[in-house]
Amino acid sequence: MNTKKLMGIILIIIGAAVLVVGIMMVASKSRDSQSNEMSTPIITNNEESLPIHSSVAGTDQCIKPDKIEDSVAKEASAVNSQETDSSKAKGNSFEDFVVNLLADWRLTLLDRTQDAVSSAGVVAESSKNPDLHISQKRGNGTIDYYIECKYRSKWQHGEVQFEKWQIDRYHKFQRQEKRKVIIALGVGGTPSSPQTFMLVPLDSLKNNAIRKIDTQYVVQSNSSALIEYMNSYFTTVFDKAKTGGKH
């Protein structure tokens, strides 16, 4: 074998060796890359780093899971507050409706209970009294009584039911003050113009409820009708007192 052939064979062997080493290096890099990808965590246990995507009012926002509970609580509180404010506004509007019926020289509003509550929830004991204290001219004298105003948007199963503790409180107040308490009830329509207006003596309540069929308590929404109704009621009261409760 001559020198040229020997050199050619040596070069071929060296080239093959280099090629094999190159292939091995490429394969090693590929395995390292796959190993790194597998070792990289896709999901983390740190919940604070996992924002939840949501769209509010057309704007994309990211809310962290630990903030969801606070957000829900705040929304619920806001809804309850709105419902309370709405209920209070309706109550005040109906109370104004009743007060406007007192625009007659024979009627005098002696007191109107204030139900203000402090930021810490403190209320005056007087705020638990019936809403209105009224004096009414009757013949040569006067009578005075209290009215508690209640408004409902509709009848529930043909009646309006009240909490027992509320009615018990008004009965206690009536005994202490020795003055009659009347429930002014508005149902339907709007608080400022109810479809049905009733004046129901507390003593006439049965099972802490006023029924739709108790039409004897329905009164027209004007001062004269209120005065006539109260005069008739107190005539009965005084007559019963004279006869020892028998009539």
Side-chain angles (χ1 to χ4, degrees):
M1 183 179 295
N2 59 35
T3 303
K4 290 183 178 180
K5 288 183 178 181
L6 180 61
M7 290 297 295
I9 293 171
I10 293 174
L11 290 175
I12 291 172
I13 294 172
I14 292 175
V18 171
L19 180 61
V20 170
V21 170
I23 292 173
M24 292 177 64
M25 291 179 65
V26 171
S28 177
K29 288 183 179 181
S30 177
R31 287 195 300 271
D32 290 343
S33 177
Q34 291 177 357
S35 176
N36 288 336
E37 289 179 358
M38 292 179 64
S39 64
T40 301
I42 297 174
I43 299 176
T44 176
N45 291 328
N46 185 358
E47 291 183 352
E48 290 187 354
S49 66
L50 290 175
I52 294 177
H53 192 73
S54 67
S55 179
V56 180
T59 303
D60 289 339
Q61 297 181 351
C62 287
I63 305 174
K64 293 182 178 180
D66 62 348
K67 302 298 182 182
I68 293 178
E69 185 174 348
D70 290 341
S71 177
V72 171
K74 288 179 180 179
E75 290 179 3
S77 177
V79 170
N80 290 335
S81 178
Q82 290 175 356
E83 291 178 349
T84 300
D85 291 343
S86 176
S87 178
K88 185 175 181 180
K90 289 180 180 180
N92 289 339
S93 180
F94 178 67
E95 192 174 311
D96 286 341
F97 161 79
V98 177
V99 169
N100 289 335
L101 298 180
L102 307 180
D104 187 286
W105 66 273
R106 294 166 290 181
L107 296 168
T108 301
L109 179 61
L110 299 177
D111 191 22
R112 183 174 183 177
T113 300
Q114 302 298 316
D115 58 353
V117 182
S118 76
S119 58
V122 179
V123 298
E125 283 299 309
S126 60
S127 68
K128 301 175 184 178
N129 296 342
D131 297 315
L132 310 174
H133 186 192
I134 300 167
S135 176
Q136 178 176 317
K137 292 185 181 298
R138 183 175 184 272
N140 296 325
T142 60
I143 52 176
D144 68 280
Y145 50 89
Y146 289 85
I147 288 183
E148 173 65 18
C149 303
K150 300 291 186 183
Y151 174 78
R152 298 291 186 271
S153 59
K154 60 182 179 180
W155 299 96
Q156 294 289 344
H157 306 294
E159 67 178 19
V160 169
Q161 184 76 40
F162 302 105
E163 296 289 345
K164 183 178 183 300
W165 63 265
Q166 287 182 314
I167 302 304
D168 288 346
R169 188 178 70 202
Y170 295 141
H171 275 296
K172 181 179 178 180
F173 178 87
Q174 183 172 258
R175 290 192 300 270
Q176 290 175 338
E177 297 298 317
K178 295 181 173 59
R179 297 290 185 276
K180 294 297 184 180
V181 175
I182 313 297
I183 306 295
L185 175 66
V187 181
T190 64
S192 59
S193 181
Q195 183 178 16
T196 301
F197 178 59
M198 288 181 165
L199 292 173
V200 185
L202 183 66
D203 293 336
S204 299
L205 243 62
K206 296 179 180 179
N207 299 321
N208 304 319
I210 297 175
R211 301 177 302 170
K212 185 178 182 180
I213 62 174
D214 295 330
T215 56
Q216 67 270 30
Y217 303 122
V218 175
V219 180
Q220 294 297 314
S221 303
N222 59 69
S223 301
S224 295
L226 185 150
I227 292 170
E228 182 179 347
Y229 177 91
M230 297 310 300
N231 279 334
S232 175
Y233 170 65
F234 275 97
T235 295
T236 302
V237 171
F238 293 144
D239 285 347
K240 285 184 178 181
K242 291 177 182 178
T243 60
K246 297 179 180 180
H247 185 67

